[in-house]
Amino acid sequence: MAHTTNYFDTFIEVAEDCPTEHAQEPPIAESPSIAALHYRLIAEQPYSRTSDDVIFETYALRAGVAVDDALERALFFSMGRPCLRSSPLGKRYGWGLHHDDQGRVALVARESDEYALRAADPDIAHTRAMRSKRA
């Protein structure tokens, strides 16, 4: 059975304990962090990738696997994987994640008007990024 991390018509708001009031780009290091890879994959082409695409491509880039390897992708999703609710983008860096009706994702800065509109939109599902610390 294949698992998925995709959301549809959903807005993932920043975590309740997110330490920043303004969205920040994750720092770029010699070896890119998960946050930096998530940011790059989503910011460079908004609404072009699903959550599954972002999660698998991040894994593939870090593991040295071909991004277009269908067998490797099938094996990767043969077990459950953490979704973008666990991404550092929403937990630490102040980014909301909007998933459209086809599951494609884009970043929304916490302090933006778009964030306020998405957070108040009754026509989409709402959830939050996971907290970094227990309540």
Side-chain angles (χ1 to χ4, degrees), residues 1 4 52 79 125 131:
M1 176 181 155
T4 185
D52 281 356
M79 64 178 106
R131 296 174 57 93

Side-chain angles (χ1 to χ4, degrees), residues 41-59:
L41 291 170
I42 300 169
E44 286 180 355
Q45 295 179 313
Y47 297 115
S48 69
R49 291 178 173 89
T50 64
S51 176
D52 281 356
D53 296 335
V54 172
I55 301 294
F56 179 71
E57 287 182 40
T58 298
Y59 160 77

Side-chain angles (χ1 to χ4, degrees), residues 18-91:
C18 180
T20 182
E21 292 299 317
H22 299 282
Q24 302 170 349
E25 184 175 338
I28 309 261
E30 189 173 314
S31 175
S33 66
I34 289 172
L37 289 170
H38 284 180
Y39 179 85
R40 189 185 82 198
L41 291 170
I42 300 169
E44 286 180 355
Q45 295 179 313
Y47 297 115
S48 69
R49 291 178 173 89
T50 64
S51 176
D52 281 356
D53 296 335
V54 172
I55 301 294
F56 179 71
E57 287 182 40
T58 298
Y59 160 77
L61 290 167
R62 290 173 61 96
V65 174
V67 172
D68 59 352
D69 186 331
L71 178 59
E72 190 70 36
R73 185 177 171 122
L75 287 171
F76 181 79
F77 285 113
S78 67
M79 64 178 106
R81 298 292 175 173
C83 68
L84 287 177
R85 287 187 58 227
S86 67
S87 173
L89 296 178
K91 292 172 68 170

